[in-house]
Each structure stands twice: as structure tokens, then as C-alpha cells.
Amino acid sequence: MNRILLASAFFLVSISAVFADETPSALPASAVVSPVPAAVSPAPKVPALKLVEPHLHIARSNIAGHARIALTFDACMGQADERILSTLVRERIPATIFVTARWLKRNPAAVAVFLQNPDLFELENHGQNHIPAVDTPALIYGIASAGSPQAVRQEVEGGAAAMVAAGLPAPHWFRGSTAKYDLSAIGEIRAMGDRIAGYSVNGDGGSLLGAGITEKRIASAKDGDVVISHINQPSHAAGEGVAKALVDLKAKGTQFVRLGDVEDTGDDKTTE
């Protein structure tokens, strides 16, 4: 009997311990009043910078076997690529050359060649210091943008002034470093009276492509295309490909024109 009473007492103690473990020592969660956090205003959203890389086409010849193509070359910094320049002169191929103020200072001999061949070369504005024409601070291919409307204006006007000082005609076209812009900068440049030169065929990938692929890219240009390449990297293999492509295109009966020679159509309101 005593054993039964002891077992019953042990059972009751065990049950009590179980319930003690499951019973909260404080008020249940539903009864606890948490402090109300102060209202926090969401951080204002900063709109993403929208950059465009405008296309440009020229009026087609619509003559089979005689595609009309505009060759454009950027002279950013560095030296003149004689492989390209000599081919243009020897083959009597017209082209539009976009020069920076910095390049003009370093290449007086090439500038003299341009001036001696006014029927071939149309010289246009690539800016004062090769700064992207974007009026908001940004890095584009690692290059700091102009960053403000005033700096965009200085890049455009400084480049034009350097051209006139070098004895070149005042420019009508502008192409910024990296060929990328924000829409507000496009409006600012157009308000200054400049047309903005996009392109439709990237010939040399910023002069970083090999000779073979550069030659193929440029030689594949079609009626109405505007080709962009570089004439300021004489140590890069791309220049060899550019020179070969020029000969290839001429052999195919291509009609070469400068931007100022024909009607054109640019998107993003770059030529309107």
C-alpha cells in the first residue's frame, strides 16, 4: 500500500513539473505590449542614370554593288596612325575625323595632311579633354563624365575653339568620348547648335580588336552605314585591319562619303 501511495505521489510531482516547464514565467505573448516603433520615412529613390549610345545612318545609294558608307574616325589622344591615314590619302577615300584638343596639339604633321586634302577630310569635334558628355557624375568605361551641364558645355566649346585655333574650320558635328550620353546632355549639345554623331557599325571595338576581326567588321558595312573606328592608336593591331578593310570596300565599288555630304538620320534626337 505504501508503495502505491509513493508511486502516486511521484506521478503527481512529475506531471506538475511538466506543466511548470510549459507555463511561461511572465505574461503570455498575447498579453505583452511591445513598444511601437517610430515611423521611418523610406529613403527617396534615386533614379538610375539612363545612358544612350545613339545610332546614325546616312541616305542610301540604293545602287546594287555601290553601297554608300560614311567612314568616321576618332582621334582621341596619342599619335596619328599612319597606316590608316596614308591609305585614306593614297586611295583617295574621304572620311570624317573627330579630333580632340589634346590630339591636335600632339599631331601637327597629321593636321597638315588634313589641311592639304580638303576634298578628303572633314574635321569635326571630339571634345577638349576626351570627357564623356554626360551632365551627371558617372564612370563610363572607367572615365569620369563631365558631371554637370557647365562641364559638358566646356568640353564641347573647348574642343571647337582648339580646332579653330589650329586652322581648321569651325565644326558642325560633335561626338563625345565613349559615344554615350544622357538625354539631358543631348538636349544641351543640340541647343548649342551641334549635331551629335552616332554610328551604326563599330569597326574596331575602341581600337582593341585584332586586325582580322576589325577588317571583317568594317568590310561588312552595308548601304547607309556609318562606321566608327580610331586613328590614334598606331601600336594596336586594329589599325592594320582598318587599312585592309578600306581597300576591300573600295574594291567592292563602295561609295565613300563624309557626314556633311549626305542626308542623315540619328536617333535619340541627336540630329533633329
Side-chain angles (χ1 to χ4, degrees):
M1 181 69 177
N2 289 337
R3 275 188 271 178
I4 294 173
L5 290 173
L6 287 172
S8 299
F10 179 78
F11 177 76
L12 290 173
V13 170
S14 300
I15 293 295
S16 299
V18 170
F19 278 104
D21 287 342
E22 292 182 353
T23 302
S25 58
L27 291 174
S30 59
V32 175
V33 179
S34 301
V36 178
V40 178
S41 300
K45 290 185 178 180
V46 178
L49 178 61
K50 179 182 179 181
L51 297 180
V52 297
E53 192 167 355
H55 294 92
L56 180 67
H57 288 86
I58 57 171
R60 299 175 181 176
S61 71
N62 291 318
I63 302 173
H66 297 281
R68 180 183 293 155
I69 294 170
L71 297 172
T72 69
F73 293 93
D74 287 359
C76 311
M77 293 168 280
Q79 301 295 327
D81 191 333
E82 290 297 333
R83 296 170 298 181
I84 300 172
L85 183 54
S86 62
T87 300
L88 291 169
V89 173
R90 183 183 66 251
E91 301 293 335
R92 308 310 295 170
I93 296 175
T96 302
I97 316 292
F98 287 86
V99 296
T100 66
R102 297 170 69 175
W103 189 87
L104 287 174
K105 290 179 181 178
R106 298 187 62 178
N107 294 276
V111 174
V113 173
F114 295 149
L115 292 172
Q116 292 163 6
N117 294 274
D119 58 321
L120 293 183
F121 299 113
E122 173 186 37
L123 280 297
E124 298 294 348
N125 187 5
H126 197 32
Q128 182 176 22
N129 290 307
H130 200 246
I131 296 173
V134 173
D135 61 16
T136 300
L139 279 179
I140 306 168
Y141 299 135
I143 305 174
S145 67
S148 70
Q150 296 77 14
V152 169
R153 176 175 289 274
Q154 180 58 45
E155 176 71 0
V156 177
E157 291 183 343
M163 293 180 65
V164 173
L168 302 174
H172 303 288
W173 289 87
F174 175 79
R175 176 183 285 156
S177 167
T178 74
K180 290 183 180 290
Y181 314 82
D182 55 348
L183 296 178
S184 53
I186 287 176
E188 293 153 11
I189 297 167
R190 292 292 292 120
M192 296 168 63
D194 291 271
R195 299 164 75 77
I196 297 175
Y199 62 90
S200 59
V201 175
N202 186 336
D204 62 0
S207 83
L208 299 177
L209 297 177
I213 189 170
T214 296
E215 180 181 2
K216 289 179 181 178
R217 280 194 178 194
I218 298 176
S220 69
K222 297 177 175 58
D223 198 12
D225 273 334
V226 175
V227 180
I228 182 175
S229 297
H230 292 74
I231 196 169
N232 66 301
Q233 295 289 358
S235 64
H236 290 193
E240 178 185 347
V242 172
K244 289 182 178 179
L246 300 180
V247 177
D248 295 343
L249 287 170
K250 185 178 180 181
K252 290 165 58 176
T254 300
Q255 179 187 136
F256 299 101
V257 296
R258 303 172 298 187
L259 292 182
D261 296 336
V262 289
E263 297 292 325
D264 56 73
T265 303
D267 56 15
D268 296 307
K269 298 184 178 180
T270 51
T271 61
E272 291 180 4

